[in-house]
Amino acid sequence: MDLITGDIVSRISYKHDLLFRISSISKDLATLHGKDLRLEVDAPLSDLVRVEERDLVKKREKEKEEEEFSYRLFRQDYQFMKEKREYQATDGFHHESSYFHLPAKVLHIDGDRNYLKKCIELYQRIGLQVHGVYINEKDMPLEIGPLIEKIRPDIIVITGHDSFSKNKGTRSDLRAYRHSKYFVETVREARQIFPQLDQLVIFAGACQSHFESLIRAGANYASSPSRINIHALDPVYIAAKIAYTPFMEKVSVWDVLRNTLTGEKGMGGLETRGLLRTGMPYLEESSDE
């Protein structure tokens, strides 16, 4: 079977457990990106099988159900937060009041164009202002500074692909991870500009990333405490929870993680202050006669 870049495949040696997209081919070796998980691995072409379209359709339907379930959980959470803000803004509904919000601005840098597009669609669906940029993981430390100065974000998502290889070292050895060191360097560069955790909220990491190093570097949230794979959309839900929580409230780690598709084994972090600010009165623009 002739395989080409872009084909959706599975690995024989792993009993076809995950689906991958072929990113590149060099001689008899392919670099694979997880179809819905932020994982990058290498595999011999002889170990790969192209996935038939009928199997892909079934897989997509199941994935869509999981994503919609997570989205519904977030919407329920969002509705509760909205009602709570309205209660506070109207002094317990005793006064009518017109108010407005200053929304948080998100900078999302991603090492995968397909994931970035999918994430931006979810940001827009949720109603968040986002500036999405595709950057190869190795280039992220060099480009993060100018992007921060230009966009002045409240939240930064630093993600892409990663993986841990026990053949290269132990779990605690940063050199055993494909891209964790670049994520760590990027977080450090961002913290040189905004040192305070509540001044700039950072999520960093991908599948199996070195969680401890990312947190020590200055990330508020990171992957992956148990070195498991994370879903492509999980960073968006973390950003959204922080963005829609009032700045006078702190968000517990569990409150942030419960709407993700991965949960606490794949994501973790620190108690962080929300970023939403409410103001009043809201004045509608009127045209001068």
Side-chain angles (χ1 to χ4, degrees):
M1 180 184 296
D2 292 329
L3 297 172
I4 60 174
T5 300
D7 278 349
I8 304 299
V9 298
S10 62
R11 296 176 294 178
I12 299 170
S13 59
Y14 284 79
K15 299 181 180 179
H16 310 284
D17 59 339
L18 299 174
L19 298 185
F20 294 88
R21 179 179 288 103
I22 296 179
S23 174
S24 63
I25 297 175
S26 178
K27 296 182 180 179
D28 296 327
L29 194 67
T31 297
L32 309 177
H33 290 168
K35 184 177 177 297
D36 293 287
L37 300 174
R38 292 187 171 276
L39 182 66
E40 180 176 316
V41 297
D42 296 322
L45 291 175
S46 59
D47 191 39
L48 303 178
V49 174
R50 185 185 291 114
V51 179
E52 298 296 332
E53 182 62 29
R54 62 177 179 274
D55 296 325
L56 278 177
V57 171
K58 293 179 182 178
K59 186 72 174 177
R60 286 195 200 103
E61 290 175 353
K62 183 179 179 181
E63 290 165 354
K64 190 67 176 177
E65 288 178 6
E66 293 174 351
E67 291 172 7
E68 284 299 316
F69 178 73
S70 187
Y71 176 74
R72 287 196 300 272
L73 287 178
F74 174 80
R75 290 298 303 179
Q76 291 173 5
D77 197 22
Y78 171 80
Q79 188 63 32
F80 173 76
M81 290 189 289
K82 181 180 178 182
E83 291 173 358
K84 184 178 179 180
R85 292 196 303 269
E86 290 177 351
Y87 181 85
Q88 293 171 342
T90 58
D91 191 22
F93 300 121
H94 287 110
H95 306 284
E96 287 190 13
S97 179
S98 57
Y99 55 91
F100 60 92
H101 299 302
L102 290 180
K105 187 188 300 182
V106 181
L107 168 60
H108 182 119
I109 62 175
D110 207 314
D112 187 293
R113 295 183 190 275
N114 293 314
Y115 290 167
L116 177 61
K117 180 181 177 182
K118 197 171 182 179
C119 286
I120 288 177
E121 289 173 353
L122 182 56
Y123 282 118
Q124 292 173 342
R125 189 178 182 189
I126 288 173
L128 278 180
Q129 181 183 1
V130 60
H131 188 101
V133 184
Y134 163 74
I135 306 174
N136 185 280
E137 290 87 351
K138 295 179 181 179
D139 297 327
M140 289 179 179
L142 301 174
E143 299 196 30
I144 187 64
L147 281 171
I148 291 175
E149 295 293 349
K150 177 182 178 182
I151 298 166
R152 311 300 288 183
D154 304 294
I155 302 172
I156 299 180
V157 173
I158 302 164
T159 188
H161 306 101
D162 207 355
S163 61
F164 164 68
S165 175
K166 61 183 178 181
N167 296 326
K168 296 180 180 179
T170 64
R171 269 177 52 130
S172 61
D173 188 352
L174 199 57
R175 293 171 297 182
Y177 297 79
R178 187 173 293 249
H179 289 141
S180 286
K181 65 179 179 179
Y182 303 114
F183 295 143
V184 168
E185 291 171 12
T186 306
V187 173
R188 285 181 181 149
E189 289 295 324
R191 284 291 173 227
Q192 290 293 320
I193 302 172
F194 290 109
Q196 299 299 323
L197 293 178
D198 289 324
Q199 189 179 9
L200 175 67
V201 176
I202 299 176
F203 169 86
C207 283
Q208 304 176 17
S209 290
H210 196 297
F211 170 78
E212 297 87 344
S213 290
L214 292 166
I215 294 296
R216 285 196 296 266
N220 299 69
Y221 300 95
S223 59
S224 164
S226 297
R227 305 303 193 264
I228 68 170
N229 300 327
I230 71 167
H231 194 276
L233 297 178
D234 279 344
V236 178
Y237 286 116
I238 288 183
K241 178 64 177 180
I242 299 299
Y244 283 124
T245 297
F247 86 103
M248 291 298 290
E249 297 181 14
K250 293 179 181 178
V251 187
S252 73
V253 178
W254 172 243
D255 280 343
V256 174
L257 302 182
R258 64 180 179 177
N259 294 332
T260 64
L261 289 111
T262 305
E264 71 273 16
K265 289 186 177 181
M267 320 282 261
L270 305 168
E271 186 179 54
T272 300
R273 192 181 299 278
L275 292 174
L276 184 70
R277 291 177 180 267
T278 300
M280 64 176 62
Y282 173 72
L283 302 177
E284 295 187 11
E285 294 184 6
S286 57
S287 58
D288 296 330
E289 294 184 4

